Amino acid sequence: MKNIAVIGAGTMGNGIAHTFAQFGYKVQLIDVSKENLQRGMDTINKNLDRMVAKEKISEAQKEETLSNITQQIDLPTGVKNVDLVVEAATENQELKLKIFKQLDGICSKDTILASNTSSISITQIASVVSNPERVIGMHFMNPVPVMKLVEIIRGYNTSDNITQRVMELSEKLNKVPVEVNDYPGFVANRILMPMINEAIETLYNRVAGVYEIDTVMKLGMAHPMGPLQLADFIGLDVCLSILEVMHDGFKNPKYAPCPLLVNMVRAGKFGVKSGEGFYDYSENKKAEKVSPQFSS
């Protein structure tokens, strides 16, 4: 596999494109918006500059990585003659089903179809594809160029051959692939999201403040960042979406999103990307200042 298509130029999509391109793969980065594509490429450029400054790559390697990425707004053109498609669109089941139905009609039958979904059923996604054995989950972690883990999710019909090929491909990206089965939240988010939700419940019930909750988890549990800061980093809208998928999939009240999380998302407080969540990011993207609504 040398030719890769990545659908979606957002945070995850541009990170996935960056990583494949850095390891010598030819990447078609696809998005419906030229503005999104430009923002995605700007992010890749900045991240590569940071790697050059830290002497992790050379200037020549940076330029070679950028030359491996082609921007596309036309899906059929972008996925033509590729070996693998990685869908990294918004975490919305209806949208993903629509994309995979389109891919089934325009991709070669030998093309592997992967989704970077963090919670949506791979089996459900594969149900709209004529040969579902080629559909698999590749759940990269954010930031993709840095984080080692890739959850490889087998749908009910995913073949052994496809699974093995994707595991080997992940290793070529200097990642550590971990094979998991297709249940809501998989492994990472099935464990992580209830912890984040419980941290939000702890704040909601006034047991402690934002800073205090995060400090306990950082210093007491050796977490690199607290759960509320992590929720802001992931995106509170994404956290809510994952919890809703798990709550619907398991019918278990322990996965029910905290009312505070629901209200914050309704109010447009998504975390880092909106400028405010549990912390205030109006001055910088570091979680140094607690959001005014929680600082009194």
Side-chain angles (χ1 to χ4, degrees):
M1 286 189 276
K2 292 301 293 181
N3 297 305
I4 312 295
V6 178
I7 300 175
T11 300
M12 297 305 295
N14 70 61
I16 294 167
H18 169 168
T19 301
F20 273 107
Q22 187 180 330
F23 282 84
Y25 294 87
K26 297 297 182 182
V27 178
Q28 302 287 327
L29 180 58
I30 306 165
D31 201 290
V32 293
S33 163
K34 288 183 179 179
E35 291 76 17
N36 287 350
L37 282 171
Q38 189 55 57
R39 279 196 294 269
M41 291 305 300
D42 288 346
T43 298
I44 292 170
N45 216 333
K46 289 176 185 176
N47 289 338
L48 288 168
D49 282 340
R50 192 176 294 115
M51 295 176 80
V52 171
K54 293 181 178 179
E55 299 185 344
K56 292 185 176 181
I57 61 171
S58 66
E59 186 67 34
Q61 287 172 311
K62 171 196 166 181
E63 294 305 321
E64 183 179 355
T65 297
L66 291 172
S67 71
N68 283 335
I69 303 174
T70 302
Q71 301 175 56
Q72 292 284 357
I73 59 170
D74 182 64
L75 182 63
T77 302
V79 300
K80 186 177 181 180
N81 298 323
V82 299
D83 304 302
L84 167 72
V85 178
V86 181
E87 171 273 315
T90 304
E91 191 71 354
N92 177 286
Q93 180 171 297
E94 185 178 341
L95 175 61
K96 291 183 187 296
L97 292 176
K98 179 181 177 182
I99 290 171
F100 274 78
K101 194 167 186 178
Q102 288 178 283
L103 293 174
D104 187 49
I106 56 182
C107 288
S108 160
K109 297 301 180 184
D110 295 324
T111 304
I112 298 172
L113 305 180
S115 176
N116 180 60
T117 179
S118 54
S119 62
I120 297 168
S121 168
I122 297 301
T123 303
Q124 180 67 33
I125 291 171
S127 70
V128 299
V129 176
S130 56
N131 47 339
E133 67 274 4
R134 64 171 169 160
V135 179
I136 195 166
M138 291 185 77
H139 180 206
F140 290 85
M141 304 293 130
N142 185 29
V144 181
V146 176
M147 299 293 278
K148 289 286 191 180
L149 175 66
V150 184
E151 270 190 311
I152 306 300
I153 302 107
R154 290 189 65 144
Y156 190 84
N157 293 302
T158 306
S159 72
D160 291 341
N161 174 262
I162 295 297
T163 302
Q164 186 60 35
R165 289 173 64 190
V166 171
M167 294 280 283
E168 291 172 357
L169 173 65
S170 301
E171 290 173 350
K172 290 177 182 177
L173 300 175
N174 199 26
K175 302 296 186 188
V176 178
V178 176
E179 181 183 335
V180 305
N181 290 320
D182 185 24
Y183 291 95
F186 317 130
V187 171
N189 282 319
R190 183 168 180 170
I191 295 170
L192 175 63
M193 285 302 152
M195 183 193 73
I196 286 176
N197 199 43
E198 193 63 32
I200 299 171
E201 285 277 3
T202 304
L203 177 66
Y204 180 58
N205 291 322
R206 301 178 181 272
V207 177
V210 171
Y211 172 80
E212 289 75 15
I213 291 167
D214 277 354
T215 300
V216 166
M217 296 305 291
K218 286 190 290 185
L219 300 186
M221 313 305 164
H223 290 192
M225 65 173 72
L228 300 176
Q229 180 188 357
L230 180 56
D232 276 355
F233 181 71
I234 294 168
L236 302 190
D237 54 333
V238 176
C239 293
L240 177 59
S241 175
I242 295 169
L243 283 163
E244 288 175 336
V245 167
M246 293 168 64
H247 188 225
D248 181 64
F250 290 118
K251 311 298 184 192
N252 189 323
K254 75 177 182 179
Y255 299 114
C258 175
L260 175 58
L261 174 62
V262 175
N263 277 344
M264 290 180 71
V265 172
R266 286 174 178 167
K269 309 296 185 182
F270 300 149
V272 176
K273 61 186 172 185
S274 70
E276 185 181 350
F278 295 106
Y279 293 87
D280 182 346
Y281 303 95
S282 58
E283 296 178 5
N284 62 61
K285 291 189 176 183
K286 295 180 180 179
E288 297 175 339
K289 183 180 177 183
V290 173
S291 174
Q293 73 179 105
F294 303 118
S295 59
S296 58

